[in-house]
């Protein structure tokens, strides 16, 4: 199986929803065999999609941020990420993560009994993700089926039918081992909070080159500064101002690797109006000066 040597660029709209269709209307399933080290800064940035996603950690260690949770997954473990759940992935070094995404309707049509009885209860309740550890019996079975689905992608003649069959088995294991009644009793609705957070993130993404204050960010979601702080800390584990700085540094890194603009100009264009301050922050985050970073990217 061939590993992707160029990363699948995550393209999102202003609400961080991924805009790329995975698979097709005829076959709404897509498999990716990726290495996080080829992504910018070893990171798949914040995004969400309507598809369900399963990720298997073939090698390395991956840090995931999903909604308000952050954790590490190591080799041999995996995860299910529910529909419309915002998430981010990072690895400090090489990490192979075969993964597949598909529409819930790929398991069964939306107007079918199977969908209504077995799929809708899981995707409708606040179950943002499920982690699968190889030490837990039923989760080891899930991981085994995930590996079979990954292997099935090399089957030229019957991979679509085989994939569909294996996904049925995969979902059966999850349904039989997920306590829906508990989820329903403790149901919360974080949608409004995430929508406010996304409004503030959208404002930062569109205006990072300008002078922005915490008050400016909070006003975009019509919340107080303390609420803005709490939302960023709860879901992204960072303050709004530090998120802004990190986003500026990321944009600066892209300009350094893709253009020949002077460092002073890049500093100004990404919202840093003092080039020495920009250089200090850049080196602190990426362990390289802007010039060293540019040389490394050009060499690669």
């Amino acid at each position: 199986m061939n590993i992707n040597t160029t990363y699948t660029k995550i393209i999102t709209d202003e609400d961080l929803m991924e805009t790329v269709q995975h698979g097709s209307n005829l076959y709404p399933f897509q498999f990716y065999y990726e290495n996080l080290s080829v992504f910018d800064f070893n990171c798949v940035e914040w995004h969400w999609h309507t598809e369900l996603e399963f990720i298997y950690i073939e090698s390395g260690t991956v840090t995931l941020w999903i909604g308000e949770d952050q954790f590490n997954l190591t080799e041999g473990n995996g995860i299910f990420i529910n529909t419309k759940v915002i998430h981010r992935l990072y690895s400090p070094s090489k990490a192979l993560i075969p993964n597949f995404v598909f529409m819930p309707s790929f398991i069964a049509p939306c107007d079918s009994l199977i969908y209504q009885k077995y799929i809708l209860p899981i995707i409708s309740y606040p179950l943002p993700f499920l982690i699968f550890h190889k030490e837990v019996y039923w989760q080891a079975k899930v991981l085994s089926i995930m590996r079979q689905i990954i292997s099935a992608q090399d089957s030229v003649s019957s991979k679509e039918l085989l994939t569909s069959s294996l996904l049925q088995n995969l979902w059966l294991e999850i349904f039989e081992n997920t306590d829906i009644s508990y989820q329903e009793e403790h149901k919360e609705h974080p949608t409004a909070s995430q929508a406010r957070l996304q409004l503030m993130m959208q404002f930062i993404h569109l205006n990072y080159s300008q002078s922005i204050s915490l008050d400016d960010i909070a006003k975009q979601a019509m919340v107080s500064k303390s609420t803005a702080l709490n939302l960023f800390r709860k879901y992204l584990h960072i303050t709004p101002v530090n998120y802004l700085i990190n986003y500026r540094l990321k944009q600066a890194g892209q300009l350094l690797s893709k253009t020949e603009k002077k460092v002073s100009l890049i500093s100004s264009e990404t919202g840093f109006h003092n080039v020495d301050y920009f250089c200090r922050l850049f080196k602190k985050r990426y362990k390289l000066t802007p010039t060293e970073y540019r040389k490394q990217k050009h060499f690669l």
Side-chain angles (χ1 to χ4, degrees):
M1 185 170 293
N2 295 324
I3 300 171
N4 294 356
T5 54
T6 58
Y7 69 87
T8 307
K9 185 174 178 60
I10 304 297
I11 303 173
T12 63
D13 64 14
E14 63 275 10
D15 296 321
L16 298 185
M17 177 182 175
E18 193 171 9
T19 57
V20 175
Q21 181 180 11
H22 299 285
S24 65
N25 293 333
L26 289 176
Y27 187 65
F29 174 95
Q30 187 67 54
F31 172 73
Y32 300 98
Y33 194 21
E34 293 172 321
N35 179 358
L36 278 178
S37 68
V38 303
F39 283 77
D40 284 340
F41 312 115
N42 294 10
C43 182
V44 178
E45 276 297 351
W46 289 103
H47 68 287
W48 60 275
H49 38 70
T50 54
E51 294 90 350
L52 308 172
E53 182 169 9
F54 285 82
I55 303 171
Y56 181 73
I57 313 303
E58 183 174 300
S59 67
T61 299
V62 178
T63 301
L64 294 98
W65 292 261
I66 302 181
E68 58 188 273
D69 296 289
Q70 177 184 348
F71 48 86
N72 294 325
L73 286 183
T74 55
E75 182 177 325
N77 298 315
I79 190 168
F80 158 67
I81 302 174
N82 214 337
T83 177
K84 300 179 183 178
V85 173
I86 189 168
H87 53 284
R88 178 178 186 259
L89 294 84
Y90 166 78
S91 176
S93 58
K94 180 178 179 180
L96 299 181
I97 52 165
N99 61 91
F100 46 92
V101 291
F102 59 92
M103 292 299 293
S105 58
F106 185 54
I107 301 174
C110 296
D111 57 356
S112 68
L113 173 64
I114 292 176
Y115 189 95
Q116 299 296 321
K117 187 174 180 179
Y118 300 105
I119 301 172
L120 194 59
I122 292 179
I123 67 174
S124 297
Y125 294 130
L127 179 70
F129 62 89
L130 283 172
I131 297 174
F132 308 121
H133 296 290
K134 52 192 175 183
E135 296 81 9
V136 180
Y137 177 71
W138 77 268
Q139 295 175 11
K141 290 176 67 177
V142 167
L143 291 166
S144 175
I145 299 171
M146 288 176 64
R147 290 192 295 270
Q148 291 176 59
I149 292 172
I150 294 167
S151 297
Q153 306 317 302
D154 283 334
S155 175
V156 177
S157 60
S158 58
K159 72 175 181 180
E160 294 87 0
L161 185 58
L162 180 56
T163 298
S164 176
S165 174
L166 289 167
L167 278 178
Q168 294 270 349
N169 293 334
L170 180 66
W171 199 258
L172 178 61
E173 287 294 333
I174 291 173
F175 183 84
E176 289 186 336
N177 290 280
T178 302
D179 190 350
I180 299 299
S181 61
Y182 175 86
Q183 293 294 331
E184 187 168 11
E185 291 168 5
H186 295 76
K187 182 161 60 173
E188 298 175 354
H189 297 281
T191 305
S193 294
Q194 290 196 26
R196 292 188 183 97
L197 175 66
Q198 289 168 359
L199 282 172
M200 292 185 284
M201 293 170 72
Q202 173 190 347
F203 175 75
I204 290 172
H205 296 170
L206 294 175
N207 298 279
Y208 67 89
S209 61
Q210 309 299 319
S211 294
I212 300 175
S213 67
L214 175 58
D215 192 47
D216 295 328
I217 295 169
K219 283 180 179 178
Q220 302 309 305
M222 295 182 288
V223 297
S224 66
K225 290 189 284 187
S226 62
T227 299
L229 278 167
N230 289 336
L231 286 173
F232 270 84
R233 285 171 175 161
K234 179 178 181 180
Y235 289 101
L236 305 185
H237 313 282
I238 194 172
T239 68
V241 171
N242 282 336
Y243 180 85
L244 168 63
I245 291 172
N246 288 346
Y247 190 80
R248 284 171 168 167
L249 291 173
K250 179 187 174 186
Q251 299 307 310
Q254 292 181 348
L255 289 173
L256 286 165
S257 62
K258 296 175 182 178
T259 75
E260 297 298 330
K261 292 181 178 180
K262 293 182 177 180
V263 170
S264 58
L265 180 58
I266 290 175
S267 170
S268 176
E269 288 185 352
T270 53
F272 296 102
H273 302 301
N274 182 306
V275 67
D276 292 332
Y277 175 64
F278 163 67
C279 290
R280 286 199 304 273
L281 286 179
F282 194 94
K283 185 171 184 179
K284 182 178 179 181
R285 179 163 177 80
Y286 298 117
K287 313 304 179 188
L288 295 169
T289 67
T291 302
E292 291 169 343
Y293 180 86
R294 169 174 273 166
K295 289 179 179 178
Q296 182 185 80
K297 284 293 182 179
H298 286 183
F299 175 76
L300 292 174

